[in-house]
Every structure is written in C-alpha cells, then in structure tokens.
C-alpha cells in the first residue's frame, strides 16, 4: 500500500509546484537565465556594439527579381559586354534628361568585391552617386536554389523556407522586441513599431509577398500593421477616428482586460512583476491588441500632425528614362515610410517595409520580372524611381542615414545572358543592398565573372561558392545592427548562419555578421 503524502509542504516546494502548474496552464515565468526583454543581447555574448544601436529600418522589396548586371554589379566602363547582353539598349536610354539636379560623373566605380574585382554601378542608380550615400552603402552577394517567386520571396524576406514555423519578417522581430520592452516596464504601446505598406491597387498574386507581415512563432502582438498605400489611404484615416464607437463600449472592454489581468494575480508568493501579476504570453497578446484599438486616435494623430502631416496624396510622376506618366505608388510608399521612421519619442516607429510594384509593370509582372519586352527601360525606369526618391529624402533631411538603414531586397537576380528580349530568373547569384546605419562602403561576397581568368562560361554570374551569403545571414545581420539578438528561439538558430561551426557562440556569430555582412 502506498504511503499517503504529507499535507505539509515547505514554502520553497510550494512555490516550485505552483510555478509548474502555471507553466502547465500555458503561462510562463521569467527566468534569471534570460533577459526580461525579448531580443536583448545577453551579457554572456560579450561586446557586440560599444554603444547600443538606436536604428530604424526602411526595407524596400524590389518585386520581381532585379537584374544586377545593369544596376548594382556592372562591369567597368570599356569592358567587353559591360551590361551582359544589353549594352546597346542601356546606351540608348535618355538618362541625361532624367533630372538636371543629378550632375554626377558619368563613371560609376563603387568598390572591389571579395575577390578583388572592381564592381561598378549602372546608370539607373545615378541618384545614389553622392559620397554621403555611397560611403554608407554595401552590396551583399547572396544565392539560393529557388526559381519560383512563390518560394524565393518568403525565403529572401524572412531567411526561412516555406513550411518553417519560424517564417517571419523583420518587422515581427522588431515589433516583438520593443513591445516586450514596453510590457516589461508598463502598459503596451498605443501604436505599432512596425509597418508594412502594400499598394492598394495591386492584387497580390500567389507569390507570397504576404511574408513581409508574417510573424511565424512570434506572439500575436508582434504583427506589423499593414497599411494599403494609394488613393484610398486618406479614407483609412477616417476609420481611425472610430466614429460611432461610444465611450461605454471602450470602458466595457477595458473592464474585461482589467478583470483578466486581476485573475493572473496570485499574491506575494508568485509576485513575479512589480504589480504581482504572473506573466502570460496569451494575455500579453490580448492586452497589446486591445491597446492598439484604444490607440487608433494616436495613430491618427501621428499621420495628421498639424503643420507636418504624413504625405498621403498619391502622386502622378513621369517615368525616366522611359516616356510616360504613371501613378507613383512606390514613391508614395517610400515617402510615407520615411515620414513614419523620422518620428521621435519612446513609441516612434522602428521598421517600415514597402513593396515596390513599379511605376511600369514588367512583362512577367511586378516591377522587375522582365522575361521579355522592354527589359532595359522597365528595369532602369523602375529602379531609377526608387533611387531618385531615396536621394530626395536624404537631401531633404527626412531620411537620416546615420539613424536609418535602407534595405533593398529582391527575391533573386536575372540570368547573366539574354533570354530573347529579357532575362529569366537567376537565384544562383544576386545582390541585396544596405545603405545607412553602421554599414561601410564595400561589397560583401563576390559574383563570378566570365571575363576573369579561370572562370568557366558555366560559372559566369554565379555567386562564388566560398564568398557569398544566405538570406538568413542578411536578416540576422540586420537584427544585429538593430541591437536585437537574432538567436532567440523565435528567430534563427546557429546552423542557419552560413559561416557557423560546431563551436560558434552567439556572440561570435553576431560579431561575424557585423563585420562580414555589414562591414561595420
């Protein structure tokens, strides 16, 4: 016969059992072994930054797959086949008439790649040819194996493959970090830290661009706010005033939130926060989403600030170097994103992602999926529009590159040889671009050049097997630049980093991402 357990339990054991019961109920208690704020770099990682970064991220996804060969990875002037099959078309484009304000030199040397070969910038990037911009610009060479947009876009926007439960955009991690900080210190923020700007007139196909707002395993409160950019945006502001919602309804919702909060208080025995409330992931998400509802007026005030309202009008602009006037949805989104990121204060936005659908639609869709048609003019015109908008914002002081990192992403590149009148998909070697923040001028990695000795024709345009990065490397490096530890359970694992080894520590990898990817 089993001995009956004693009814007397010592206080220490009672506390342990109670904590176990709370864990079984889906609640969690802070551990002395982890930082209270999600994403804080632990002291055990060693020094990563001498001063914790205070950085904003403006991500622009160049949808369709930008060709690098005429833009960010051109051969030197005078080289044979400088633009890899499109020399005549690029030479014929009337760049001289695009903007008289951009009177930079015609040559565009940028930096040597990791193999010591010079990389030049094509004419569509001309608005960026300003020392203050170029000296804070880095081209990062990447490669992966996915040709379809549907698989390549989620991978390059999150660093994770389709089907991975941790598939999440940068906005989710950044939102998670700062809301976690706020919840630890007091009430949730009245409005989001992360925003994703989708074009309202663009019906998203099955290409999985929604990955930009995915949260993976992050809590519900980590989801960025999606704003549909376009002519209907001013109408959205009306909904933020919440007309017709009586104060009694808000008071009732607040009462429910307070009652739920009170149910999590267990007296001094389990007082794990100053208020004595047991911490619960589920309740934190509920409380944060409720706070966002109550904070609609705060977002309305942010976008309609007297004297300096957000740029909400959709412009019609002339495309250059192509002819014609189009709705400039990409510039509209970038200007609104820059406005958000220029705000100051404890709850200022930290991340904004803009989907560049192009002023002109490429033959395969999006801005850069140029399988045929006017490859040179469509690619150059759409990218020139992005670069010109960024230059204008930098010159106006709206976009401060000492406090903001611009991230130009694309799902893959284009073939280094012509495919009829265009180029096909090329994930074997392509580039993404970082501008601002801690980055320094240079090229991280290298694309093989068929003009170089020892490079076979079959390897031309591919990423150097020993000198390129994975999408996860770049994503983790950006989080590191923000002072966010990328190796939390919700984000990346050590094996996700291409240069990790069995003995790599988190601190070693963050310092490697800082120097090898960011060049900081």
């Amino acid at each position: 016969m089993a001995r009956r357990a004693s009814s007397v339990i010592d206080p220490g054991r009672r506390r342990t059992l109670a904590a176990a019961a709370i864990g079984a109920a889906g609640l969690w208690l802070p551990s002395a072994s982890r930082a209270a704020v999600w994403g804080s770099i632990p002291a055990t990682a060693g020094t990563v930054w001498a001063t914790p970064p205070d950085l904003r991220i403006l991500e622009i996804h160049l949808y369709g797959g930008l060709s690098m060969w005429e833009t960010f990875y051109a051969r030197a002037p005078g080289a044979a086949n400088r633009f890899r099959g499109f020399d005549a078309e690029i030479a014929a484009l009337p760049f001289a008439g695009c903007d008289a304000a951009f009177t930079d030199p015609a040559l565009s040397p940028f930096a040597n790649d990791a193999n010591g070969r010079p990389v030049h910038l094509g004419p569509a990037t001309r608005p960026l040819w300003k020392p203050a911009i170029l000296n804070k610009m880095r081209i990062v060479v990447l490669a992966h194996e996915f040709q379809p947009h549907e698989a390549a876009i989620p991978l390059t926007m999150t660093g994770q493959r389709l089907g991975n439960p941790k598939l999440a955009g940068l906005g989710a991690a950044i939102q998670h970090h700062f809301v976690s900080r706020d919840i630890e210190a007091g009430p949730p923020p009245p409005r989001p830290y992360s925003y994703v700007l989708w074009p309202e007139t663009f019906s998203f196909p099955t290409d999985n661009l929604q990955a930009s707002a995915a949260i993976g395993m992050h809590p519900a409160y980590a989801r960025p706010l999606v704003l549909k950019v376009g002519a209907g945006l001013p109408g959205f502001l009306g909904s933020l005033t919440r007309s017709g919602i009586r104060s009694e309804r808000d008071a009732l919702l607040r009462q429910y939130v307070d009652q739920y909060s009170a149910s999590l208080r267990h007296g001094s025995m389990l007082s794990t926060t100053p208020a004595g409330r047991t911490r619960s992931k589920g309740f934190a998400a509920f409380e944060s989403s409720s706070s966002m509802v109550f904070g609609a007026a705060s977002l309305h005030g942010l976008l309609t600030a007297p004297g300096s309202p957000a740029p909400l009008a959709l412009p019609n602009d002339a495309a250059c170097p192509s002819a014609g006037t189009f709705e400039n949805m990409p510039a509209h989104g970038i200007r609104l994103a820059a406005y958000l990121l220029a705000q100051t204060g404890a709850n200022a936005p930290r991340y904004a992602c803009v989907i560049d659908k192009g002023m002109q639609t490429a033959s395969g869709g999006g801005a850069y999926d140029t399988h045929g048609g006017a490859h040179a003019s469509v690619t150059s015109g759409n990218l020139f529009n992005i670069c010109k908008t960024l230059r204008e914002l930098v010159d106006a002081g709206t976009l401060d590159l000492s406090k903001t990192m611009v991230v130009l992403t694309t799902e893959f590149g284009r073939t280094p040889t012509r495919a009829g009148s265009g180029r096909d998909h090329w994930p074997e070697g392509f580039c993404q671009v970082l501008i601002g923040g801690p980055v320094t001028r240079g090229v991280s990695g290298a694309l093989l050049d068929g003009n170089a000795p020892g490079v076979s024709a079959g390897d031309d345009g591919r990423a150097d097997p020993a000198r390129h990065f994975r999408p996860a490397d770049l994503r983790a490096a950006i989080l590191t630049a923000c002072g966010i530890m990328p190796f939390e359970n919700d984000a990346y694992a050590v094996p996700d980093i291409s240069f990790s080894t069995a003995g790599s520590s988190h601190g070693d990898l963050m310092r490697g991402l800082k120097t090898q990817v960011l060049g900081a």
Side-chain angles (χ1 to χ4, degrees):
M1 182 174 179
R3 179 182 298 176
R4 183 174 180 178
S6 171
S7 61
V8 178
I9 302 178
D10 67 84
R13 183 167 176 241
R14 177 179 292 136
R15 186 181 182 96
T16 301
L17 292 174
I22 290 169
L27 308 175
W28 57 280
L29 295 173
S31 167
S33 63
R34 70 178 294 279
V37 176
W38 185 93
S40 293
I41 297 178
T44 54
T47 301
V48 179
W49 301 102
T51 303
D54 181 17
L55 192 65
R56 274 69 170 164
I57 302 296
L58 169 55
E59 181 170 10
I60 304 170
H61 185 80
L62 310 174
Y63 170 45
L66 174 70
S67 172
M68 300 299 148
W69 315 121
E70 307 91 349
T71 58
F72 290 104
Y73 217 96
R75 288 170 170 155
N81 197 16
R82 185 188 181 194
F83 299 119
R84 300 181 187 244
F86 283 87
D87 286 47
E89 287 89 339
I90 294 295
L93 293 175
F95 281 104
C98 285
D99 195 320
F102 301 138
T103 57
D104 304 88
L107 300 181
S108 54
F110 178 65
N112 291 343
D113 65 16
N115 285 333
R117 292 191 60 80
V119 173
H120 285 67
L121 303 179
T125 69
R126 180 173 295 199
L128 303 180
W129 300 358
K130 177 179 181 179
I133 298 174
L134 293 178
N135 291 338
K136 298 185 73 65
M137 187 165 103
R138 182 155 289 260
I139 296 169
V140 183
V141 174
L142 295 95
H144 60 74
E145 66 273 30
F146 293 126
Q147 293 240 1
H149 298 278
E150 296 89 338
I153 288 174
L155 177 61
T156 52
M157 295 191 87
T158 71
Q160 308 286 8
R161 296 165 182 260
L162 275 177
N164 190 319
K166 296 200 296 184
L167 188 149
L170 288 173
I174 292 172
Q175 173 90 350
H176 190 175
H177 174 71
F178 285 101
V179 174
S180 173
R181 178 201 67 178
D182 291 344
I183 291 176
E184 186 68 20
R191 57 179 183 256
Y193 289 100
S194 294
Y195 298 78
V196 175
L197 280 59
W198 289 345
E200 68 174 3
T201 59
F202 178 55
S203 177
F204 273 24
T206 58
D207 288 347
N208 291 323
L209 284 158
Q210 294 89 336
S212 55
I215 64 170
M217 295 178 65
H218 294 280
Y221 63 70
R223 186 177 301 280
L225 177 65
V226 175
L227 296 176
K228 292 187 176 180
V229 177
L233 185 59
F236 166 74
L237 294 179
S239 66
L240 296 178
T241 63
R242 304 179 69 226
S243 60
I245 303 297
R246 301 200 309 270
S247 60
E248 292 85 353
R249 294 185 180 182
D250 282 349
L252 185 59
L253 178 56
R254 286 191 174 91
Q255 179 179 337
Y256 287 146
V257 172
D258 290 343
Q259 287 177 342
Y260 200 130
S261 176
S263 72
L264 299 178
R265 299 178 190 278
H266 293 268
S268 60
M269 182 179 71
L270 292 178
S271 293
T272 58
T273 67
R277 190 180 77 194
T278 302
R279 300 171 70 189
S280 162
K281 280 188 174 182
F283 179 71
F286 170 63
E287 185 179 33
S288 178
S289 61
S290 300
S291 176
M292 294 298 176
V293 172
F294 299 139
S298 176
L299 180 59
H300 183 273
L302 173 67
L303 296 174
T304 60
S308 58
L312 300 176
L314 175 61
N316 289 300
D317 293 329
C320 190
S322 306
T325 299
F326 304 87
E327 280 188 344
N328 199 345
M329 197 82 72
H332 186 204
I334 294 170
R335 289 164 187 154
L336 178 56
Y339 172 89
L340 291 169
L341 296 175
Q343 303 305 306
T344 59
N347 299 127
R350 298 286 179 148
Y351 172 86
C353 176
V354 177
I355 304 298
D356 171 22
K357 78 179 190 71
M359 291 179 72
Q360 302 176 76
T361 302
S363 60
Y368 305 98
D369 197 23
T370 50
H371 292 279
H375 163 77
S377 63
V378 170
T379 294
S380 297
N382 285 334
L383 183 63
F384 186 92
N385 179 52
I386 298 299
C387 296
K388 179 175 181 288
T389 303
L390 291 173
R391 171 70 174 268
E392 290 169 348
L393 291 168
V394 169
D395 287 349
T398 306
L399 187 58
D400 184 347
L401 294 180
S402 68
K403 299 178 180 178
T404 306
M405 180 191 291
V406 179
V407 182
L408 300 180
T409 63
T410 193
E411 57 261 44
F412 39 57
R414 316 300 298 185
T415 49
T417 55
R418 290 182 70 119
S421 60
R423 300 187 191 272
D424 291 332
H425 300 179
W426 186 254
E428 289 90 338
F430 64 104
C431 303
Q432 298 189 357
V433 180
L434 306 175
I435 309 171
V439 306
T440 57
R441 180 170 181 163
V443 180
S444 297
L447 293 167
L448 296 176
D449 192 329
N451 285 350
V455 178
S456 67
D459 287 334
D460 183 36
R462 297 179 187 274
D464 187 317
R467 295 179 175 86
H468 76 273
F469 297 93
R470 301 173 185 167
D473 296 330
L474 184 62
R475 303 274 118 181
I478 296 168
L479 290 179
T480 301
C482 293
I484 297 175
M485 217 271 280
F487 301 109
E488 293 276 14
N489 290 338
D490 318 68
Y492 301 101
V494 167
D496 292 333
I497 305 305
S498 63
F499 52 85
S500 65
T501 63
S504 297
S505 70
H506 291 165
D508 292 337
L509 292 176
M510 282 188 281
R511 285 184 285 274
L513 292 167
K514 172 184 172 181
T515 57
Q516 296 184 45
V517 180
L518 305 177

